[in-house]
Each structure stands twice: as structure tokens, then as C-alpha cells.
Amino acid sequence: MTVLFGPSGSGKTTLLRALAGLDRPESGSIAYGGSVWFDHARGVELPPQDRHVGLLFQDYALFPHLSVASNVGYGLHRLARGDREARVSEMAERFGITSLLARRPAELSSGQRQRVALARAMAPRPGLLLLDEPLSALDAPAREGLRAELRRMLEAAAVPAILVTHDRVEALALGDRLAVLLDGSIRQFGPVHEVFSTPVDADVARVVGTENVFPSRLVRREDGLVVLHAAGSPGAELVAVDPGGVEEEVYACIRAEEVVLEPQEGPETSAQNRLAGVVARRQEEGPLVRITVDCGVPLIALVTRGSARRLDLGPGCPVVALVKAQSVRVVPRRAR
């Protein structure tokens, strides 16, 4: 499962539609499995029906006037009737919808519609499955419950898949590899956790959800570490593991969950970075609380409700933010 990840307007759905043959690129080429699907220079353009691609839309696009069985078998018109019925039965059993075959889409739950749509996409035995934000039409509780089920079904299908999403949790739950799209180009590609934990630049860091991205200046190197001063606040000094290959102008990137808040009079810890400040804002987020601390620069931390209650974290509360050196990701400032 490869995830195309990025903000709205970055080109994710356009790329997916180009792969499916629904949009025609103005230049370039598309090849898959040794077959050239599109080549502008050579005038090659394989029609969608000859690319053997399965496509799962955001709203599932089931035919409301057809039964589940007819929806699943829609792409099997080239098969003999007996073979078509056998394939529909096989898909129904695989995706757990055998008892639903006589129903219409309006009689199904969101999860059932998703399974029917996936069975329909898989029935013609595609060589590649494309999924365009398949969980976006669901409310939050349903989306959370269906992530694991969708991953299980995709693994059982054993077909390479490309998933479009801008949801960080969805990308982590479903993807093996991640391609970050920004302004129509892929800025980073690699294993999902690697991209999320080690973004190549500040723009990617923001996109993948690194809440704290500070323009900084590298002031010195010592013992495999670098010392940084956050721009606009000379007193905000950060120590990070030296990544090598970076010069004076850098960004310091810190995930909110890597920030620990303690009272200012708290005991010493092994954390290299101790940033004193005051709570500027508190925002409830389900079981967690998002705290913005003014440390000379605004620093965001995610803490549990219990910790927020224990420390009485409210606007004006003095705290110290603790961040380990290995939790500070240093990336060069991208040339503009």
C-alpha cells in the first residue's frame, strides 16, 4: 500500500485519475509492470478499460438501482454467466457480504457499502487498486472502526494499491510507503514511519503533522550535537543530534507528543532542552490536551487530561518544556 499524502490541492486526486486514465497529462509518461500506459511524446494513451485498474471512489459510487450482487458483478460482463456468478460469490465470501447480495445500496450501512465497493473494484482481478480517500465520507467513529478492517481486506486481496488521503492517522494505519505531495510534486518518498519521523525539510514536516517548526540558526557543534538559536528569540536555545550536511540556516522540527511539561521547580532530567515559559493557550482534544507554551517562541505540547489536571495547566501557568536532543529534527531551509 502506497499512500499519496498531502494537503488539499496538492495534486493527489489528479495523480490518481491520471493513473486510472480518467485525466490526460499534458506531458510525461506513465508505466506500470513493464507496460506503458501513457507517453505524450510517443502518442501512447491506453484507455482506462485496458489498464486493468480497480478504482474505489470517495463516496463508493455504487449503483443505487442495482442489487449488491449486480454491483459486484458489474465489471464482469465479458465472462459467461456461470463464471460471473461464481466470481461474485467468491468476492462476497472474501469480503463478508454474502448475506447482503439481494439488498440495494440504500439498505446498507457505511461499512457494508465500503465492502461492496471494494468487492466490485476487486472482482475483475485488477493489477492495481486505486483508492481516493475511501474513508472520507464516514463520520469519525465509523472511520476509526473501519481503518483496521480496510487494511485487513487489502492485505487479503494481495494487490498493489495506491491510497489518496490527507489524514495522518489514516496514512499511518493503512500505508506501507508514503509519498508526500506538495504543489504538484513528490517531495519525499519512503516507509511511512520513516517519512513521518524524519521529514526531509520543514514543508514536509508541517504537512506530516510536526506541530513545531522553528526557523533557527546553527551557532556551534559539539560532541556530535548542534546548538541552535530559534529566530526571533535568542534566548530559546535548542540542542539536537547533528544530522550532518546542514549549514547555518536551518529549521528545528519537534513533534508535540515529544514535548514533556513539568513545573518550573521540577527535578533535573536527562533532557538536553529545558525551555522555561508560560502557558499561552489550552485546547481540549478528546483524551488529550493541546498546550501552547510561550518560551520566547510558541511551543506546542500534547499531554493527557490527567497531566493537564495535575499541573493545573491553564493560561498564565509557569512551566518548563523538556525535549530530548534526539527528538529535535534539524533540516536545512529549503531554497525558494
Side-chain angles (χ1 to χ4, degrees):
M1 170 70 77
T2 296
V3 174
L4 300 180
F5 188 82
S8 297
S10 60
K12 304 184 300 296
T13 297
T14 298
L15 177 53
L16 207 70
R17 290 177 60 86
L19 291 172
L22 303 178
D23 283 352
R24 186 178 190 275
E26 295 179 355
S27 61
S29 62
I30 300 171
Y32 179 74
S35 174
V36 177
W37 289 354
F38 176 83
D39 191 316
H40 182 270
R42 293 162 49 195
V44 176
E45 185 174 1
L46 204 64
Q49 62 270 25
D50 292 336
R51 299 190 185 194
H52 304 295
V53 166
L55 180 58
L56 187 62
F57 295 95
Q58 292 183 28
D59 58 1
Y60 308 139
L62 297 174
F63 300 111
H65 62 292
L66 297 180
S67 67
V68 168
S70 296
N71 267 282
V72 174
Y74 187 80
L76 305 175
H77 57 278
R78 296 179 182 177
L79 297 182
R81 181 175 179 177
D83 293 338
R84 183 167 63 249
E85 291 176 350
R87 181 62 174 167
V88 169
S89 296
E90 179 187 348
M91 290 293 98
E93 183 176 355
R94 175 182 296 179
F95 293 106
I97 57 173
T98 300
S99 63
L100 309 176
L101 290 176
R103 297 188 191 180
R104 299 286 177 88
E107 303 174 271
L108 306 178
S109 68
S110 297
Q112 290 169 337
R113 286 196 294 271
Q114 183 194 64
R115 290 197 293 271
V116 172
L118 189 56
R120 182 181 63 180
M122 293 299 302
R125 294 185 171 88
L128 177 66
L129 183 62
L130 306 176
L131 304 99
D132 189 4
E133 304 205 47
L135 302 178
S136 64
L138 307 176
D139 58 28
R143 194 160 56 241
E144 184 174 347
L146 285 172
R147 285 191 192 108
E149 184 176 3
L150 179 59
R151 173 72 190 193
R152 179 188 61 77
M153 290 188 293
L154 291 171
E155 286 180 343
V159 173
I162 297 177
L163 167 76
V164 161
T165 186
H166 61 267
D167 184 281
R168 172 182 162 188
V169 176
E170 196 170 301
L172 287 165
L174 296 176
D176 298 305
R177 297 181 296 177
L178 190 79
V180 177
L181 268 73
L182 277 170
D183 301 324
S185 64
I186 293 178
R187 295 276 282 272
Q188 187 171 355
F189 179 75
V192 172
H193 289 282
E194 179 181 299
V195 175
F196 273 105
S197 62
T198 56
V200 295
D201 58 47
D203 291 336
V204 172
R206 292 189 183 96
V207 168
V208 300
T210 302
E211 295 85 351
N212 302 294
V213 180
F214 305 125
S216 303
R217 183 168 57 88
L218 194 158
V219 293
R220 65 183 182 274
R221 286 182 161 94
E222 52 187 36
D223 299 327
L225 303 174
V226 291
V227 178
L228 313 172
H229 282 172
S233 181
E237 186 173 276
L238 292 169
V239 177
V241 175
D242 190 350
V246 296
E247 301 302 328
E248 182 177 357
E249 302 298 319
V250 298
Y251 286 103
C253 306
I254 306 170
R255 301 186 73 87
E257 57 264 36
E258 300 286 354
V259 180
V260 176
L261 300 182
E262 293 290 352
Q264 286 193 354
E265 66 277 8
E268 289 292 323
T269 72
S270 62
Q272 288 274 1
N273 298 294
R274 296 176 56 87
L275 303 174
V278 297
V279 174
R281 186 184 179 195
R282 170 175 172 154
Q283 181 179 349
E284 309 289 330
E285 295 187 358
L288 301 177
V289 182
R290 182 179 295 262
I291 303 293
T292 302
V293 180
D294 184 356
C295 303
V297 291
L299 181 69
I300 297 173
L302 276 176
V303 301
T304 64
R305 283 180 177 271
S307 294
R309 187 166 50 249
R310 175 177 61 85
L311 297 172
D312 193 22
L313 295 176
C317 174
V319 294
V320 60
L322 307 177
V323 184
K324 292 185 176 181
Q326 57 265 39
S327 297
V328 181
R329 168 72 170 165
V330 180
V331 297
R333 295 200 199 182
R334 188 175 181 85
R336 295 294 182 184

